[in-house]
Amino acid sequence: MNRDPGPNGTIAPDGRPSTEQPRWRRDFPIGVDADEYVSRRDFTSFMVLISSAFACGQLWIVAQNAWRRRRGEPPLKEVARLSELPVGGALTFRYPTESDVCVLVRLDERRLVAFDQSCTHLSCPVIPRVSEQRFECPCHHGSFDLESGRPTAGPPRRPLTRIRIEVVGDKVMANGYA
Amino acid sequence: MPVPESMQFFVDQSRCIGCQACVQACTECDSHRGQSMIQLDYLDRALSPQTAPVVCMHCDTPTCAEVCPADAIKRTADGVVQTARKPRCIACNNCVLACPFGVPKMNTAMGLMMKCDLCYDRTSVGKKPMCASVCPSQALYYGTREEIERLRPRSRPVDTFQFGAQTITTKVNVMVPRESALQAFDVLAGLTPATRADEDPLLAMLDVRDCAPEGVGP
């Protein structure tokens, strides 16, 4: 019986030398030294793969940016009737696409604000608390200023995405991002 | 620092008095406190008070490592088969079922197989394993081959075991009577229903036939 461990510290049960063993035995050695050994080729291929993954990620961000710029400004869209929204009232609308829910708040007779409803922390929908002058995110008790959308408490660090609002007669129009 | 080649572990089951000192000492180890890696087996409790300590035999070709699908059991260059690596072990029980000596035990609560690693934290710095340092009858002995030959002139160590077609050589030695012609323990031969002693592979390891006086054994 061969009791001399081969170069990878493994003695195969059939006792034959490591050169006659199947490939998987070299890939999964039993010897600690061979198990912890990282060859230069493995290290280099790992580095190349990880670096190229990072590079691809950067290129993807650049491509997304270019695509977003080419898409242009979102269109003008009527979202509510001014007469239907009392002072201190709020309603939701979808802008610019059907999957983007926004919230419109009437602060007083003349002033209206609108924000994308998704919290800038983890995209939970924020709830307007007009009496407390804030938006509340129920997920992690985040809080945003009602007028400016700036974060005032909780985990969010970025302001809510603001939507430019124009009032034409009785129509409340959304006109792109502010 | 590796475990020196000259220092070896010797198990003499016939010397075991069943005092559980090895189990207690193993339990006190800081690396696995409260969990003993050594088992004290009763050979046949109805017939005999004889016990046998079971430590990892540290096979040259560890079957536990061969069957591990998670690549968790590794053998150091000095021949010590280490316990399962915690981040890798998936608690699949393959090693528990595969080990011919029945050494690995699954800690189900921890989801981890733990087995004797020859007190690698101690032996690699020149100390004796816990169990060998406390064993009052020296059924577990750690030292050089010359020492054991001087101390036990009527015994000799055997480190080859036959399990059917599988021959296993181990780092740990089992003591047998010096005069016995035994070269390797044919463990499965003990399973043939010839005699009571032969029914139990552990009794076969003790090699009762060689120990017994004339006319008593088979």
Side-chain angles (χ1 to χ4, degrees), chain A residues 1-3 5 9-14 24-25 27-33 35-36, chain B residues 60-62 65-66 71 73-77 82 85 88 159-160 166-167 169-171:
Chain A
M1 177 95 187
N2 172 28
R3 295 186 66 167
T10 306
I11 306 167
D14 57 10
W24 62 266
R25 234 176 231 297
D27 290 343
F28 299 101
I30 287 171
V32 165
D33 294 339
D35 184 60
E36 287 173 351
Chain B
D60 292 329
T61 312
E66 289 285 341
D71 213 23
I73 304 172
K74 294 290 154 205
R75 180 175 169 276
T76 45
Q82 302 288 337
R85 298 193 161 181
R88 292 188 182 177
D159 62 354
T160 307
Q166 187 184 14
T167 306
T169 52
T170 60
K171 185 177 173 66

Side-chain angles (χ1 to χ4, degrees), chain B residues 90-134:
Chain B
I90 55 171
C92 69
N93 261 322
N94 262 13
C95 52
V96 179
L97 299 171
C99 175
F101 300 102
V103 167
K105 291 282 176 237
M106 182 58 59
N107 188 330
T108 316
M110 288 169 68
L112 177 68
M113 184 281 279
M114 293 201 284
K115 73 161 192 67
C116 159
D117 60 357
L118 201 74
C119 287
Y120 202 66
D121 53 337
R122 292 171 61 84
T123 49
S124 60
V125 294
K127 292 182 181 174
K128 287 184 174 190
M130 278 284 203
C131 52
S133 66
V134 298

Side-chain angles (χ1 to χ4, degrees), chain B residues 8 23 34 97 124 131-132 137 156-157 159 181 185 188 204:
Chain B
Q8 293 190 4
V23 175
L97 299 171
S124 60
C131 52
S137 60
R156 67 183 171 84
D159 62 354
F185 286 102
L188 293 188

Side-chain angles (χ1 to χ4, degrees), chain A residues 6 15 27 39 53 62 66 70 89-90 92 95 108 129 133 137 141 146 148 151 155 157 159 177:
Chain A
D27 290 343
S39 70
V62 169
R70 193 183 301 166
T92 57
Y95 183 82
D108 56 32
R129 306 271 186 226
Q133 287 291 302
C137 178
H141 300 292
L146 191 68
S148 62
R157 288 286 172 271
Y177 294 109

Side-chain angles (χ1 to χ4, degrees), chain B residues 31-207:
Chain B
S31 63
H32 50 86
R33 188 170 285 267
Q35 175 99 13
S36 178
M37 304 290 172
I38 186 168
Q39 302 144 34
L40 201 66
D41 286 347
Y42 285 89
L43 301 195
D44 191 337
R45 205 157 184 191
L47 289 182
S48 157
Q50 180 66 55
T51 48
V54 179
V55 293
C56 178
M57 302 299 286
H58 299 286
C59 309
D60 292 329
T61 312
T63 312
C64 54
E66 289 285 341
V67 299
C68 181
D71 213 23
I73 304 172
K74 294 290 154 205
R75 180 175 169 276
T76 45
D78 44 17
V80 178
V81 182
Q82 302 288 337
T83 189
R85 298 193 161 181
K86 275 181 209 168
R88 292 188 182 177
C89 181
I90 55 171
C92 69
N93 261 322
N94 262 13
C95 52
V96 179
L97 299 171
C99 175
F101 300 102
V103 167
K105 291 282 176 237
M106 182 58 59
N107 188 330
T108 316
M110 288 169 68
L112 177 68
M113 184 281 279
M114 293 201 284
K115 73 161 192 67
C116 159
D117 60 357
L118 201 74
C119 287
Y120 202 66
D121 53 337
R122 292 171 61 84
T123 49
S124 60
V125 294
K127 292 182 181 174
K128 287 184 174 190
M130 278 284 203
C131 52
S133 66
V134 298
C135 183
S137 60
Q138 291 292 283
L140 303 164
Y141 183 82
Y142 182 74
T144 62
R145 211 163 253 270
E146 293 73 44
E147 280 174 352
I148 199 85
E149 275 167 8
R150 186 166 48 79
L151 287 166
R152 317 259 171 96
R154 296 172 61 197
S155 302
R156 67 183 171 84
V158 166
D159 62 354
T160 307
F161 301 82
Q162 191 73 38
F163 292 87
Q166 187 184 14
T167 306
I168 293 178
T169 52
T170 60
K171 185 177 173 66
V172 174
N173 299 276
V174 171
M175 302 304 287
V176 298
R178 179 167 289 280
E179 292 76 30
S180 90
L182 191 71
Q183 289 305 314
F185 286 102
D186 191 353
V187 180
L188 293 188
L191 293 172
T192 53
T195 60
R196 281 290 317 176
D198 278 359
E199 278 172 24
D200 196 312
L202 277 170
L203 283 177
M205 277 175 78
L206 280 178
D207 206 39

